[in-house]
Amino acid sequence: MAKLSIRDVDVRGKRVLVRVDFNVPTKEDGGKTEITDDTRIREALPTINYLREHKAKTILMSHFGRPKGKPVPKYSLRPVAEYLHTLIDQPVMFSHETVGDVPQKIVSGMRDGDVAMLENLRFQSGEEANDPKFASTLADLGDIYVNDAFGAAHRAHASTAGIAMFMNVRAMGFLMEKELKYLHEELDKPAKPFVVIMGGAKVSDKIGVLKALMEKADAILIGGAMANTFFKAEGIPIGASRVEVDKTNLANELVDLAKERGVQFLLPIDVIEAQEIKAGAKKQNTSRLSRESGITDGWQAVDIGTATIALFQEEITKGKTILWNGPVGIFEIPDFADGTIAIAEAMAKSTGTTVIGGGDSVTAVKQAGLADKMTFISTGGGASLELLEGKKLPGVAALSDKE
Ligand code: ADP
Ligand code: MG
Protein backbone atom coordinates (compact mmCIF):
# COMPACT_ATOMS: atom_id res chain seq x y z
CA MET A 1 0.00 0.00 0.00
CA ALA A 2 2.90 2.30 -0.65
CA LYS A 3 2.28 5.84 -1.73
CA LEU A 4 4.54 7.63 -4.15
CA SER A 5 5.94 11.08 -3.63
CA ILE A 6 6.31 13.32 -6.69
CA ARG A 7 10.06 12.87 -6.27
CA ASP A 8 9.57 9.21 -7.27
CA VAL A 9 7.91 10.09 -10.57
CA ASP A 10 9.43 11.23 -13.85
CA VAL A 11 7.40 14.36 -14.54
CA ARG A 12 9.45 15.95 -17.33
CA GLY A 13 7.26 16.92 -20.26
CA LYS A 14 4.27 15.19 -18.66
CA ARG A 15 0.86 16.69 -18.04
CA VAL A 16 0.59 16.63 -14.26
CA LEU A 17 -2.89 17.13 -12.88
CA VAL A 18 -2.54 18.51 -9.36
CA ARG A 19 -5.43 18.69 -6.90
CA VAL A 20 -4.71 21.62 -4.60
CA ASP A 21 -6.83 23.14 -1.85
CA PHE A 22 -7.16 26.78 -2.87
CA ASN A 23 -10.36 27.22 -0.91
CA VAL A 24 -8.94 30.35 0.71
CA PRO A 25 -10.80 32.93 2.78
CA THR A 26 -11.63 36.05 0.77
CA LYS A 27 -13.45 39.32 1.11
CA GLU A 28 -15.12 41.55 -1.46
CA ASP A 29 -13.53 44.95 -1.78
CA GLY A 30 -15.24 47.28 -4.26
CA GLY A 31 -16.21 44.38 -6.49
CA LYS A 32 -12.72 42.90 -6.29
CA THR A 33 -12.06 39.60 -4.53
CA GLU A 34 -9.26 39.91 -2.03
CA ILE A 35 -7.56 36.90 -0.46
CA THR A 36 -7.40 37.44 3.30
CA ASP A 37 -5.25 34.40 4.13
CA ASP A 38 -3.03 32.91 1.44
CA THR A 39 -1.55 30.12 3.57
CA ARG A 40 -3.05 27.31 1.52
CA ILE A 41 -1.70 28.78 -1.71
CA ARG A 42 1.77 29.32 -0.26
CA GLU A 43 1.82 25.82 1.19
CA ALA A 44 1.25 24.40 -2.30
CA LEU A 45 4.22 26.32 -3.76
CA PRO A 46 6.85 23.65 -3.04
CA THR A 47 4.91 21.21 -5.22
CA ILE A 48 4.14 23.75 -7.94
CA ASN A 49 7.71 25.02 -8.06
CA TYR A 50 9.16 21.51 -8.11
CA LEU A 51 6.98 20.66 -11.10
CA ARG A 52 7.97 23.87 -12.90
CA GLU A 53 11.65 23.29 -12.25
CA HIS A 54 11.34 19.72 -13.48
CA LYS A 55 9.64 20.89 -16.65
CA ALA A 56 6.25 19.34 -16.12
CA LYS A 57 3.06 20.82 -17.52
CA THR A 58 1.25 21.64 -14.30
CA ILE A 59 -2.55 21.71 -14.36
CA LEU A 60 -4.02 22.86 -11.05
CA MET A 61 -7.53 22.05 -9.94
CA SER A 62 -9.37 23.09 -6.77
CA HIS A 63 -12.73 23.77 -5.27
CA PHE A 64 -13.64 27.19 -3.94
CA GLY A 65 -16.66 27.99 -1.75
CA ARG A 66 -19.96 26.21 -2.12
CA PRO A 67 -21.40 26.90 -5.57
CA LYS A 68 -23.36 23.64 -5.37
CA GLY A 69 -22.71 22.16 -8.79
CA LYS A 70 -23.24 25.15 -11.05
CA PRO A 71 -21.21 28.18 -12.14
CA VAL A 72 -21.52 31.05 -9.64
CA PRO A 73 -19.36 34.04 -10.65
CA LYS A 74 -18.39 35.01 -7.10
CA TYR A 75 -16.83 31.57 -6.64
CA SER A 76 -14.64 31.80 -9.72
CA LEU A 77 -11.03 30.77 -9.16
CA ARG A 78 -9.80 33.45 -11.57
CA PRO A 79 -8.70 35.85 -8.78
CA VAL A 80 -6.81 32.98 -7.18
CA ALA A 81 -5.06 32.20 -10.48
CA GLU A 82 -4.13 35.87 -10.79
CA TYR A 83 -2.81 35.85 -7.24
CA LEU A 84 -0.75 32.72 -7.88
CA HIS A 85 0.72 34.46 -10.92
CA THR A 86 2.17 37.14 -8.60
CA LEU A 87 3.63 34.50 -6.27
CA ILE A 88 5.37 32.42 -8.93
CA ASP A 89 6.19 35.26 -11.27
CA GLN A 90 4.93 33.26 -14.21
CA PRO A 91 1.59 33.50 -16.01
CA VAL A 92 -1.05 31.01 -14.95
CA MET A 93 -3.15 29.93 -17.92
CA PHE A 94 -6.71 30.05 -16.66
CA SER A 95 -9.39 27.81 -18.11
CA HIS A 96 -12.80 29.42 -17.54
CA GLU A 97 -14.39 26.01 -18.05
CA THR A 98 -13.58 23.17 -15.65
CA VAL A 99 -13.76 20.40 -18.26
CA GLY A 100 -14.44 20.17 -22.00
CA ASP A 101 -12.94 21.78 -25.08
CA VAL A 102 -11.65 24.90 -23.34
CA PRO A 103 -9.25 23.17 -20.92
CA GLN A 104 -8.41 20.53 -23.55
CA LYS A 105 -7.24 23.25 -25.89
CA ILE A 106 -5.29 25.10 -23.21
CA VAL A 107 -3.56 21.94 -22.06
CA SER A 108 -2.63 20.86 -25.58
CA GLY A 109 -0.98 24.26 -26.06
CA MET A 110 1.10 24.05 -22.87
CA ARG A 111 4.89 23.95 -23.01
CA ASP A 112 7.11 22.20 -20.50
CA GLY A 113 7.23 24.24 -17.29
CA ASP A 114 3.89 25.98 -17.92
CA VAL A 115 1.22 26.28 -15.26
CA ALA A 116 -2.54 26.22 -15.88
CA MET A 117 -5.54 26.30 -13.59
CA LEU A 118 -9.04 24.96 -14.13
CA GLU A 119 -12.16 26.81 -13.07
CA ASN A 120 -13.76 25.76 -9.76
CA LEU A 121 -14.37 22.00 -9.65
CA ARG A 122 -17.61 22.52 -7.75
CA PHE A 123 -19.13 24.38 -10.73
CA GLN A 124 -19.80 20.80 -11.89
CA SER A 125 -22.26 18.62 -10.00
CA GLY A 126 -20.12 15.58 -10.74
CA GLU A 127 -17.40 16.78 -8.38
CA GLU A 128 -19.16 16.39 -5.03
CA ALA A 129 -21.18 13.45 -6.33
CA ASN A 130 -17.90 11.67 -7.12
CA ASP A 131 -19.34 10.94 -10.56
CA PRO A 132 -17.07 8.54 -12.48
CA LYS A 133 -17.89 10.23 -15.77
CA PHE A 134 -16.79 13.60 -14.50
CA ALA A 135 -13.73 12.03 -12.87
CA SER A 136 -12.70 10.40 -16.13
CA THR A 137 -13.14 13.68 -18.03
CA LEU A 138 -10.82 15.35 -15.56
CA ALA A 139 -8.38 12.45 -15.81
CA ASP A 140 -8.23 12.91 -19.60
CA LEU A 141 -6.42 16.21 -19.02
CA GLY A 142 -3.35 14.64 -17.43
CA ASP A 143 -0.80 11.82 -17.53
CA ILE A 144 0.04 11.92 -13.82
CA TYR A 145 -2.20 12.68 -10.85
CA VAL A 146 -0.84 14.47 -7.79
CA ASN A 147 -2.90 15.20 -4.72
CA ASP A 148 -1.63 18.06 -2.58
CA ALA A 149 -5.03 19.02 -1.17
CA PHE A 150 -4.83 17.68 2.35
CA GLY A 151 -7.67 19.99 3.44
CA ALA A 152 -10.02 18.18 1.05
CA ALA A 153 -8.70 14.66 1.64
CA HIS A 154 -11.54 13.68 3.98
CA ARG A 155 -14.02 14.08 1.12
CA ALA A 156 -14.62 11.36 -1.46
CA HIS A 157 -15.13 13.67 -4.42
CA ALA A 158 -14.31 13.17 -8.11
CA SER A 159 -11.04 15.13 -7.94
CA THR A 160 -9.87 13.55 -4.67
CA ALA A 161 -11.11 9.97 -4.94
CA GLY A 162 -12.90 8.97 -8.16
CA ILE A 163 -10.16 10.26 -10.44
CA ALA A 164 -7.59 7.82 -9.04
CA MET A 165 -8.93 4.79 -10.88
CA PHE A 166 -8.48 6.57 -14.22
CA MET A 167 -4.86 7.55 -13.61
CA ASN A 168 -2.01 5.09 -13.77
CA VAL A 169 0.46 7.23 -11.89
CA ARG A 170 -0.68 8.79 -8.62
CA ALA A 171 1.49 10.62 -6.10
CA MET A 172 1.37 12.80 -3.01
CA GLY A 173 2.42 16.41 -3.27
CA PHE A 174 4.86 17.82 -0.73
CA LEU A 175 2.15 19.39 1.42
CA MET A 176 0.19 16.17 1.59
CA GLU A 177 3.39 14.36 2.51
CA LYS A 178 4.16 16.85 5.28
CA GLU A 179 0.65 16.71 6.74
CA LEU A 180 0.77 12.92 6.87
CA LYS A 181 4.27 12.95 8.35
CA TYR A 182 3.24 15.10 11.31
CA LEU A 183 -0.39 14.21 11.89
CA HIS A 184 -0.03 10.55 11.15
CA GLU A 185 3.49 9.20 11.50
CA GLU A 186 4.82 11.42 14.31
CA LEU A 187 1.63 11.28 16.34
CA ASP A 188 1.34 7.57 15.83
CA LYS A 189 4.45 7.06 17.96
CA PRO A 190 4.81 10.39 19.71
CA ALA A 191 7.85 11.27 21.80
CA LYS A 192 6.65 11.12 25.42
CA PRO A 193 5.27 12.80 27.43
CA PHE A 194 2.55 13.46 24.87
CA VAL A 195 0.37 16.37 25.97
CA VAL A 196 -2.90 17.19 24.22
CA ILE A 197 -4.86 20.41 24.59
CA MET A 198 -8.47 20.13 23.45
CA GLY A 199 -10.89 23.00 23.35
CA GLY A 200 -13.54 24.43 21.13
CA ALA A 201 -17.26 24.57 21.10
CA LYS A 202 -18.59 21.06 21.53
CA VAL A 203 -17.58 17.76 23.09
CA SER A 204 -19.71 16.02 20.51
CA ASP A 205 -17.43 17.32 17.71
CA LYS A 206 -14.38 15.84 19.38
CA ILE A 207 -15.48 12.52 20.88
CA GLY A 208 -13.76 10.44 18.23
CA VAL A 209 -10.53 12.38 18.54
CA LEU A 210 -10.57 12.30 22.33
CA LYS A 211 -11.13 8.56 22.40
CA ALA A 212 -8.39 7.91 19.85
CA LEU A 213 -5.93 10.15 21.72
CA MET A 214 -6.63 8.41 25.04
CA GLU A 215 -4.67 5.50 23.60
CA LYS A 216 -1.53 7.59 23.26
CA ALA A 217 -1.63 10.74 25.35
CA ASP A 218 -0.09 11.12 28.79
CA ALA A 219 -2.11 14.22 29.60
CA ILE A 220 -5.23 15.76 28.08
CA LEU A 221 -6.05 19.35 29.00
CA ILE A 222 -9.61 20.47 28.37
CA GLY A 223 -10.75 24.04 27.71
CA GLY A 224 -13.37 25.98 25.81
CA ALA A 225 -17.10 25.52 25.95
CA MET A 226 -16.57 21.77 25.90
CA ALA A 227 -15.26 21.99 29.48
CA ASN A 228 -18.71 23.15 30.62
CA THR A 229 -20.24 19.82 29.74
CA PHE A 230 -17.65 18.11 31.96
CA PHE A 231 -18.37 20.62 34.77
CA LYS A 232 -22.07 19.88 34.47
CA ALA A 233 -21.38 16.14 34.61
CA GLU A 234 -19.39 16.66 37.82
CA GLY A 235 -22.10 18.77 39.43
CA ILE A 236 -20.21 22.06 39.21
CA PRO A 237 -22.66 24.93 38.64
CA ILE A 238 -22.19 26.40 35.15
CA GLY A 239 -24.48 29.45 35.27
CA ALA A 240 -25.64 30.39 31.77
CA SER A 241 -22.60 28.89 30.03
CA ARG A 242 -22.85 27.14 26.71
CA VAL A 243 -23.29 23.42 27.37
CA GLU A 244 -24.45 20.20 25.75
CA VAL A 245 -26.81 18.96 28.45
CA ASP A 246 -27.45 15.70 26.64
CA LYS A 247 -23.74 14.87 26.55
CA THR A 248 -23.00 14.65 30.29
CA ASN A 249 -23.05 10.86 30.22
CA LEU A 250 -20.55 10.93 27.45
CA ALA A 251 -18.38 13.32 29.49
CA ASN A 252 -18.45 10.84 32.40
CA GLU A 253 -17.54 8.04 30.03
CA LEU A 254 -14.52 9.97 28.75
CA VAL A 255 -13.36 10.70 32.30
CA ASP A 256 -13.67 7.00 33.17
CA LEU A 257 -11.82 6.01 30.02
CA ALA A 258 -8.99 8.36 30.96
CA LYS A 259 -8.75 6.74 34.41
CA GLU A 260 -8.71 3.30 32.85
CA ARG A 261 -5.93 4.27 30.46
CA GLY A 262 -3.92 6.11 33.09
CA VAL A 263 -4.23 9.38 31.19
CA GLN A 264 -4.08 12.55 33.24
CA PHE A 265 -7.31 14.32 32.33
CA LEU A 266 -7.33 17.96 33.42
CA LEU A 267 -10.34 20.25 33.43
CA PRO A 268 -10.01 23.99 34.09
CA ILE A 269 -9.79 24.72 37.83
CA ASP A 270 -11.07 28.27 37.34
CA VAL A 271 -12.57 30.24 34.45
CA ILE A 272 -13.21 33.78 33.30
CA GLU A 273 -16.94 34.38 33.52
CA ALA A 274 -18.75 37.20 31.73
CA GLN A 275 -22.23 38.66 31.92
CA GLU A 276 -22.52 38.83 28.14
CA ILE A 277 -20.68 37.52 25.10
CA LYS A 278 -19.42 40.82 23.75
CA ALA A 279 -16.42 43.10 23.90
CA GLY A 280 -16.35 45.21 27.04
CA ALA A 281 -18.80 42.97 28.92
CA LYS A 282 -18.38 42.74 32.67
CA LYS A 283 -16.05 39.82 33.45
CA GLN A 284 -14.28 38.26 36.43
CA ASN A 285 -12.04 35.34 37.33
CA THR A 286 -13.96 32.74 39.35
CA SER A 287 -12.48 31.22 42.46
CA ARG A 288 -11.54 27.52 42.42
CA LEU A 289 -14.41 25.65 40.83
CA SER A 290 -16.18 23.06 42.94
CA ARG A 291 -19.68 21.76 43.49
CA GLU A 292 -20.16 24.44 46.10
CA SER A 293 -18.57 27.25 44.15
CA GLY A 294 -19.14 27.26 40.42
CA ILE A 295 -19.95 29.81 37.75
CA THR A 296 -22.22 32.63 38.94
CA ASP A 297 -25.92 32.36 38.11
CA GLY A 298 -26.63 34.09 34.82
CA TRP A 299 -22.90 34.42 33.94
CA GLN A 300 -21.07 32.42 31.29
CA ALA A 301 -17.63 30.83 31.11
CA VAL A 302 -15.76 32.54 28.27
CA ASP A 303 -12.12 31.60 28.86
CA ILE A 304 -9.90 29.61 31.20
CA GLY A 305 -8.85 31.43 34.40
CA THR A 306 -5.40 32.47 35.59
CA ALA A 307 -4.83 29.43 37.84
CA THR A 308 -5.74 27.16 34.93
CA ILE A 309 -3.39 29.02 32.62
CA ALA A 310 -0.54 28.42 35.08
CA LEU A 311 -1.46 24.75 35.46
CA PHE A 312 -1.78 24.16 31.72
CA GLN A 313 1.45 26.00 30.95
CA GLU A 314 3.28 23.80 33.42
CA GLU A 315 1.90 20.66 31.78
CA ILE A 316 2.78 21.94 28.30
CA THR A 317 6.35 22.58 29.46
CA LYS A 318 6.67 18.89 30.39
CA GLY A 319 5.60 17.67 26.95
CA LYS A 320 7.97 16.31 24.31
CA THR A 321 5.07 16.19 21.87
CA ILE A 322 2.25 18.70 22.20
CA LEU A 323 -0.90 18.64 20.11
CA TRP A 324 -3.49 21.38 20.24
CA ASN A 325 -6.95 21.44 18.78
CA GLY A 326 -9.65 23.96 19.65
CA PRO A 327 -9.37 27.38 21.32
CA VAL A 328 -9.83 27.39 25.10
CA GLY A 329 -12.01 30.51 25.07
CA ILE A 330 -14.03 32.77 22.81
CA PHE A 331 -10.80 34.10 21.32
CA GLU A 332 -12.61 36.00 18.55
CA ILE A 333 -13.35 38.61 21.25
CA PRO A 334 -9.97 39.97 22.45
CA ASP A 335 -11.31 40.34 26.04
CA PHE A 336 -11.72 36.57 26.16
CA ALA A 337 -8.57 35.56 24.27
CA ASP A 338 -5.98 35.54 27.10
CA GLY A 339 -6.18 31.80 27.78
CA THR A 340 -5.90 30.87 24.12
CA ILE A 341 -2.94 33.22 23.65
CA ALA A 342 -1.28 31.79 26.78
CA ILE A 343 -1.58 28.25 25.38
CA ALA A 344 -0.07 29.42 22.09
CA GLU A 345 2.78 31.12 23.98
CA ALA A 346 3.54 28.05 26.07
CA MET A 347 3.65 25.94 22.93
CA ALA A 348 5.84 28.49 21.17
CA LYS A 349 8.35 28.25 24.05
CA SER A 350 8.35 24.47 24.10
CA THR A 351 11.41 22.60 22.91
CA GLY A 352 9.21 19.61 22.01
CA THR A 353 7.38 18.91 18.77
CA THR A 354 4.37 21.24 18.60
CA VAL A 355 1.50 20.41 16.28
CA ILE A 356 -1.70 22.36 15.72
CA GLY A 357 -4.74 21.01 13.91
CA GLY A 358 -8.22 22.41 13.41
CA GLY A 359 -9.50 25.54 11.74
CA ASP A 360 -10.09 27.97 14.60
CA SER A 361 -7.04 27.00 16.65
CA VAL A 362 -4.86 27.72 13.62
CA THR A 363 -6.50 31.14 13.23
CA ALA A 364 -5.86 31.82 16.91
CA VAL A 365 -2.16 30.96 16.63
CA LYS A 366 -1.79 33.19 13.59
CA GLN A 367 -3.57 36.03 15.38
CA ALA A 368 -1.14 35.65 18.25
CA GLY A 369 1.68 36.00 15.70
CA LEU A 370 3.21 32.70 16.82
CA ALA A 371 2.64 30.51 13.76
CA ASP A 372 6.33 30.38 12.82
CA LYS A 373 7.24 29.18 16.33
CA MET A 374 5.33 25.91 15.92
CA THR A 375 6.77 22.72 14.50
CA PHE A 376 3.77 22.10 12.32
CA ILE A 377 0.43 23.74 11.61
CA SER A 378 -2.06 21.73 9.62
CA THR A 379 -3.87 23.29 6.67
CA GLY A 380 -6.77 20.91 7.13
CA GLY A 381 -9.58 21.48 9.62
CA GLY A 382 -11.94 18.56 9.18
CA ALA A 383 -9.29 16.44 7.50
CA SER A 384 -6.84 16.81 10.38
CA LEU A 385 -9.49 15.85 12.94
CA GLU A 386 -10.53 12.78 10.97
CA LEU A 387 -6.92 11.72 10.59
CA LEU A 388 -6.33 12.15 14.34
CA GLU A 389 -9.40 10.02 14.94
CA GLY A 390 -7.66 7.27 13.04
CA LYS A 391 -10.08 7.41 10.12
CA LYS A 392 -8.96 6.51 6.62
CA LEU A 393 -9.12 9.59 4.41
CA PRO A 394 -10.53 8.84 0.94
CA GLY A 395 -8.12 11.30 -0.68
CA VAL A 396 -5.17 9.53 0.91
CA ALA A 397 -6.41 6.00 0.30
CA ALA A 398 -6.85 6.85 -3.40
CA LEU A 399 -3.10 7.44 -3.69
CA SER A 400 -2.08 3.96 -2.57
CA ASP A 401 -1.01 1.29 -5.03
CA LYS A 402 -3.85 -0.59 -6.61
CA GLU A 403 -3.92 -4.10 -5.17
P1 ADP B 1 -11.28 24.14 15.84
O1 ADP B 1 -11.83 24.80 14.60
O2 ADP B 1 -9.91 24.62 16.19
O3 ADP B 1 -11.39 22.64 15.78
P2 ADP B 1 -13.82 24.44 17.21
O4 ADP B 1 -14.47 24.74 15.91
O5 ADP B 1 -14.13 23.16 17.87
O6 ADP B 1 -12.22 24.61 17.07
O7 ADP B 1 -14.21 25.56 18.26
C1 ADP B 1 -13.96 26.91 18.07
C2 ADP B 1 -15.01 27.78 18.67
O8 ADP B 1 -15.23 27.48 20.05
C3 ADP B 1 -14.62 29.23 18.62
O9 ADP B 1 -15.48 29.92 17.75
C4 ADP B 1 -14.75 29.72 20.05
O10 ADP B 1 -15.35 31.00 20.16
C5 ADP B 1 -15.64 28.68 20.68
N1 ADP B 1 -15.47 28.65 22.14
C6 ADP B 1 -14.34 28.42 22.82
N2 ADP B 1 -14.57 28.55 24.15
C7 ADP B 1 -15.87 28.86 24.30
C8 ADP B 1 -16.71 29.12 25.43
N3 ADP B 1 -16.24 29.08 26.66
N4 ADP B 1 -18.02 29.42 25.20
C9 ADP B 1 -18.50 29.46 23.94
N5 ADP B 1 -17.76 29.23 22.85
C10 ADP B 1 -16.46 28.93 23.01
MG1 MG C 1 -13.86 25.18 13.94
Side-chain angles (χ1 to χ4, degrees):
M1 295 287 280
K3 284 187 286 296
L4 295 178
S5 148
I6 41 178
R7 272 186 231 89
D8 306 322
V9 179
D10 180 13
V11 297
R12 185 170 294 269
K14 301 274 173 42
R15 299 171 304 157
V16 183
L17 201 46
V18 187
R19 176 57 156 104
V20 286
D21 180 2
F22 284 175
N23 187 30
V24 287
T26 54
K27 69 166 195 249
E28 295 303 314
D29 197 6
K32 231 182 136 262
T33 305
E34 216 179 283
I35 295 163
T36 53
D37 182 351
D38 65 355
T39 308
R40 286 179 165 176
I41 303 175
R42 287 186 184 276
E43 290 283 347
L45 290 179
T47 294
I48 295 168
N49 287 332
Y50 177 93
L51 292 171
R52 289 166 62 209
E53 282 156 22
H54 289 77
K55 298 283 171 223
K57 297 170 176 131
T58 305
I59 304 140
L60 303 169
M61 51 180 181
S62 178
H63 72 288
F64 182 50
R66 296 180 185 273
K68 305 254 167 72
K70 54 180 192 319
V72 177
K74 75 166 177 177
Y75 293 126
S76 172
L77 273 171
R78 190 183 288 276
V80 176
E82 280 162 12
Y83 185 78
L84 177 65
H85 175 181
T86 65
L87 289 184
I88 63 176
D89 201 17
Q90 173 182 330
V92 175
M93 304 153 87
F94 186 71
S95 168
H96 67 273
E97 300 276 349
T98 312
V99 286
D101 293 343
V102 176
Q104 283 287 0
K105 204 161 162 218
I106 289 175
V107 170
S108 62
M110 286 175 88
R111 289 160 310 170
D112 297 352
D114 278 352
V115 177
M117 192 189 295
L118 305 180
E119 183 53 285
N120 194 342
L121 291 160
R122 289 192 187 166
F123 281 5
Q124 300 287 324
S125 58
E127 166 63 359
E128 288 179 85
N130 197 10
D131 173 26
K133 230 177 105 200
F134 176 63
S136 93
T137 324
L138 278 177
D140 284 344
L141 294 169
D143 308 303
I144 294 169
Y145 171 67
V146 169
N147 191 346
D148 212 20
F150 176 74
H154 58 316
R155 310 262 183 244
H157 292 169
S159 66
T160 58
I163 192 169
M165 67 187 287
F166 300 105
M167 305 290 295
N168 285 323
V169 186
R170 300 175 302 281
M172 302 180 274
F174 293 122
L175 175 59
M176 178 70 88
E177 226 180 319
K178 195 165 75 167
E179 295 269 5
L180 295 177
K181 172 175 179 307
Y182 284 103
L183 292 177
H184 195 60
E185 287 165 40
E186 292 242 348
L187 295 185
D188 203 38
K189 291 192 181 60
K192 303 272 219 164
F194 178 24
V195 177
V196 176
I197 306 111
M198 274 278 162
K202 297 195 210 148
V203 195
S204 50
D205 286 346
K206 313 270 162 101
I207 306 163
V209 185
L210 278 168
K211 284 191 174 159
L213 290 170
M214 293 270 187
E215 306 296 323
K216 291 178 187 129
D218 297 288
I220 298 182
L221 323 179
I222 300 286
M226 115 154 97
N228 303 332
T229 304
F230 288 93
F231 294 152
K232 176 103 188 154
E234 293 197 350
I236 296 170
I238 57 163
S241 302
R242 176 171 181 170
V243 67
E244 289 173 278
V245 264
D246 57 331
K247 294 291 182 304
T248 50
N249 282 341
L250 181 81
N252 283 326
E253 239 177 74
L254 288 166
V255 171
D256 288 344
L257 185 65
K259 271 191 205 127
E260 217 175 274
R261 295 274 184 276
V263 178
Q264 208 188 342
F265 196 79
L266 296 180
L267 294 176
I269 51 176
D270 63 342
V271 296
I272 303 295
E273 55 177 20
Q275 269 184 325
E276 281 174 276
I277 309 289
K278 67 170 201 205
K282 209 166 168 196
K283 62 168 189 174
Q284 61 197 22
N285 203 124
T286 63
S287 48
R288 282 276 171 142
L289 295 172
S290 67
R291 284 189 192 168
E292 291 70 39
S293 164
I295 293 152
T296 311
D297 270 353
W299 293 57
Q300 310 178 41
V302 293
D303 196 3
I304 53 175
T306 49
T308 306
I309 289 179
L311 173 72
F312 284 9
Q313 285 188 323
E314 194 187 317
E315 289 302 319
I316 290 168
T317 310
K318 291 184 205 156
K320 285 234 162 56
T321 309
I322 304 117
L323 170 69
W324 180 22
N325 168 265
V328 295
I330 307 175
F331 76 101
E332 295 92 339
I333 300 173
D335 289 345
F336 310 149
D338 291 354
T340 300
I341 293 169
I343 299 292
E345 282 169 349
M347 287 185 74
K349 276 196 213 122
S350 163
T351 51
T353 301
T354 46
V355 179
I356 300 176
D360 294 296
S361 357
V362 173
T363 309
V365 171
K366 284 185 189 157
Q367 270 177 20
L370 296 169
D372 60 347
K373 297 276 193 302
M374 306 297 168
T375 311
F376 181 68
I377 296 187
S378 176
T379 56
S384 59
L385 282 178
E386 290 197 19
L387 193 59
L388 292 173
E389 269 182 62
K391 284 193 187 156
K392 238 188 161 144
L393 305 186
V396 176
L399 296 173
S400 296
D401 291 342
K402 290 175 195 165
E403 282 152 279

